[in-house]
Amino acid sequence: MATPARDIAASPQRLQNARTNSLSVSTSPTATFHSPPSGSLSGSLPHYMNRSKGAAKQLKPFDSQDIKILLLENVNQTGKDLLTGQGYQVEALKSSLPEDDLIEKIRDVQVIGIRSKTKLTERVLREAKNLIVIGCFCIGTNQVDIEYAAKHGIAVFNSPFANSRSVAELVIAEIIVLARQLGDRSNEMHLGTWNKVSSKCWEIRGKTLGIIGYGHIGSQLSVLAEAMGVSVIYYDVVSIMGLGTARQVPTLNALLNEADFVTCHVPELPETKNLIAAEQFEQMKNGSYLINASRGSVIDIPALINAMRSGKIAGAALDVYPSEPAANGDYFSNSLNPWAEDLRSLKNLILTPHIGGSTEEAQRAIVGEALVRYVNQGTTLGSVNLPEVNLRSLTLEEPNHARVIYIHLNIPGVLRKVNEILGGHNVDKQITDNRGDVAYLMADISDVRVDEIREIFNSLEALPSRVLTRILY
């Protein structure tokens, strides 16, 4: 019978000491992301590469009841169930936490799951002595100091594809609602007013949609819009082949001059702050519409208010804002954003509380699966800040094997020293890769005793190149 999976783990103080080396990791939003494979959590390689004869053996880094996970911001129940099903201790809260409260909570957990409002700054992560992995149940990771996390051996995962369809569908709905002024008519009916009008109400067929940012969301939106008879143009900082008959335009102004509906799908960067401001509104067609479901800093809201009051912009839909409440409640007022009440007074304006990705489908367990793979097997496929490394799963027919995970500085001579430590054992499999100044090594060794595993662990911890060491068996 297979030996229950355990972890030879350092004390909290040793883990703290293991996270002291300085690295520099690229945080470019254009870095390539490889989607983690779907299917079984116990094996990530194609079946023809997995030559094991036995069933996959689930490795876990600690006794399962000792894994502590903190989930914030009402992470979907499917993700909670997946993690709880592994035997982990899961605490789930419906909102984000103030920084001081977050620091108190994060000190004792190995895993944290967040969405967009929780800020994992250097000050917070510095107190996370036991943390090994962060799961962002959303697209963006700008709320996490991913460079600091990499320096200290903390993997970060996100959901870059999870909510693309949900956001695209929301934008399609908003285009129709704005074109027909449905929001105003609904509000009037709720107040008892019958106001049947057709003036300045339009079909969307034959109109032109301008998409700023032709990534996962923008391209899906493009397909949906064309299916409804809408012509699609798009602007992106890189040259991208359009889907269907969508056409890329060379400049942002060219898009604004031509589009009846303009929708933004760009990341939060210094270059995208106030991407649409007074100058850009002047470039837009008279009576056109604006939609923003990307980041709150992309639109100059006071400029939008002025453009709508003047009639330049016939309608708008906003799902994101420069400042957003940390929890549900009556918080969308001038105390949060000084222009909030002016914004709320406008006609044909859809305001939603950052719900673009808030569907049951979008909040499924995509990030949860990546967290389980990383905790149980050390697989980093899909990590945004560590090298993407994977090994074939160990099997139940390999009970005396151990998996060595060594996160280290990417400097000369490390592999020689690691292999000297592992040299007294048969290394069945080994893989290593680097991302900037941080490297990630995984090796499976066979016929190893518990006392030998601890000796290996201590020897790796003593190397000056080490950032973090884990041994699973």
Side-chain angles (χ1 to χ4, degrees), residues 423-440:
H425 304 276
N426 184 42
V427 179
D428 290 352
K429 305 184 293 293
Q430 186 180 65
I431 188 171
T432 184
D433 199 358
N434 69 82
R435 187 167 187 166
D437 291 333
V438 65
Y440 193 97

Side-chain angles (χ1 to χ4, degrees), residues 71 75-88 90 92 364-365 368 372:
L71 301 178
V75 168
N76 181 266
Q77 187 63 43
T78 306
K80 299 176 193 174
D81 293 343
L82 174 65
L83 298 170
T84 304
Q86 295 291 314
Y88 306 151
V90 179
R364 300 291 184 195
V372 171

Side-chain angles (χ1 to χ4, degrees), residues 77-363:
Q77 187 63 43
T78 306
K80 299 176 193 174
D81 293 343
L82 174 65
L83 298 170
T84 304
Q86 295 291 314
Y88 306 151
Q89 294 181 16
V90 179
E91 180 181 6
L93 303 179
K94 291 186 177 181
S95 65
S96 59
L97 294 173
E99 188 171 72
D100 289 342
D101 294 343
L102 179 59
I103 286 173
E104 289 299 317
K105 284 281 189 184
I106 205 172
R107 284 177 175 145
D108 297 327
V109 302
Q110 287 80 34
V111 182
I112 186 169
I114 63 171
R115 297 184 69 188
S116 58
K117 291 186 176 65
T118 300
K119 308 301 181 184
L120 295 180
T121 62
E122 178 178 344
R123 178 172 179 254
V124 173
L125 294 177
R126 195 163 52 238
E127 301 297 324
K129 310 302 184 186
N130 299 304
L131 192 68
I132 61 172
V133 61
I134 298 166
C136 299
F137 287 74
C138 54
I139 291 180
T141 57
N142 57 298
Q143 70 275 37
V144 179
D145 189 334
I146 60 176
E147 182 177 347
Y148 183 90
K151 291 176 183 178
H152 297 78
I154 303 170
V156 180
F157 295 89
N158 69 339
S159 300
F161 312 114
N163 68 3
S164 300
R165 177 71 182 202
S166 298
V167 176
E169 289 186 4
L170 176 68
V171 173
I172 286 290
E174 289 173 337
I175 290 171
I176 297 173
V177 169
L178 291 174
R180 298 294 298 274
Q181 302 178 21
L182 295 182
D184 289 354
R185 299 295 85 76
S186 178
N187 289 336
E188 291 162 356
M189 289 292 286
H190 279 277
L191 295 173
T193 301
W194 183 280
N195 184 24
K196 183 178 179 180
V197 297
S198 59
S199 176
K200 296 184 180 180
C201 294
W202 315 97
E203 294 182 356
I204 67 170
R205 179 181 57 175
K207 305 302 187 293
T208 299
L209 171 63
I211 301 173
I212 305 174
Y214 202 70
H216 301 297
I217 296 172
S219 56
Q220 286 208 36
L221 173 60
S222 171
V223 173
L224 295 178
E226 282 201 345
M228 302 184 73
V230 177
S231 299
V232 176
I233 59 175
Y234 61 95
Y235 170 71
D236 203 292
V237 294
V238 296
S239 180
I240 302 174
M241 180 177 292
L243 301 178
T245 61
R247 172 173 53 90
Q248 186 165 10
V249 294
T251 66
L252 176 59
N253 281 348
L255 180 142
L256 299 176
N257 294 163
E258 186 176 347
D260 300 298
F261 298 88
V262 174
T263 179
C264 300
H265 302 283
V266 296
E268 184 175 31
L269 299 170
E271 296 84 358
T272 61
K273 182 177 176 61
N274 290 335
L275 182 69
I276 305 297
E279 179 181 346
Q280 287 70 40
F281 284 119
E282 286 300 315
Q283 294 294 321
M284 293 176 66
K285 296 171 67 173
N286 292 330
S288 57
Y289 303 84
L290 177 69
I291 298 169
N292 184 28
S294 58
R295 289 291 181 262
S297 61
V298 171
I299 306 297
D300 182 341
I301 302 295
L304 171 64
I305 293 171
N306 291 335
M308 291 191 67
R309 283 176 172 170
S310 71
K312 177 71 175 182
I313 302 301
L318 302 177
D319 188 48
V320 288
Y321 311 89
S323 296
E324 298 181 358
N328 293 340
D330 298 330
Y331 303 120
F332 196 68
S333 62
N334 280 9
S335 60
L336 182 68
N337 293 294
W339 35 254
E341 292 177 18
D342 285 340
L343 186 70
R344 286 160 42 193
S345 69
L346 297 173
K347 294 292 187 180
N348 205 24
L349 175 67
I350 303 169
L351 300 176
T352 50
H354 204 153
I355 58 171
S358 297
T359 62
E360 291 292 337
E361 293 86 353
Q363 296 300 312

Side-chain angles (χ1 to χ4, degrees), residues 21-32 141 144-156 383-388 407-410 433-440 467:
N21 295 289
S22 177
L23 308 173
S24 176
V25 179
S26 170
T27 59
S28 168
T30 61
T32 301
T141 57
V144 179
D145 189 334
I146 60 176
E147 182 177 347
Y148 183 90
K151 291 176 183 178
H152 297 78
I154 303 170
V156 180
S383 173
V384 300
N385 69 330
L386 292 180
E388 295 189 279
I407 307 174
H408 62 88
L409 296 174
N410 184 26
D433 199 358
N434 69 82
R435 187 167 187 166
D437 291 333
V438 65
Y440 193 97
V467 173

Side-chain angles (χ1 to χ4, degrees), residues 38-56:
S38 60
S40 170
L41 299 177
S42 61
S44 300
L45 294 177
H47 66 87
Y48 55 81
M49 295 178 65
N50 192 340
R51 303 185 184 280
S52 170
K53 296 180 181 179

Side-chain angles (χ1 to χ4, degrees), residues 2-3 50 52-57 59 392-403 428-429 444-447 473:
T3 304
N50 192 340
S52 170
K53 296 180 181 179
K57 174 184 175 181
L59 298 175
R392 172 181 61 80
S393 300
L394 291 174
T395 71
L396 296 177
E397 296 178 0
E398 301 169 302
N400 297 318
H401 287 56
R403 173 160 291 178
D428 290 352
K429 305 184 293 293
D444 289 346
I445 56 177
S446 58
D447 298 323
Y473 80 108

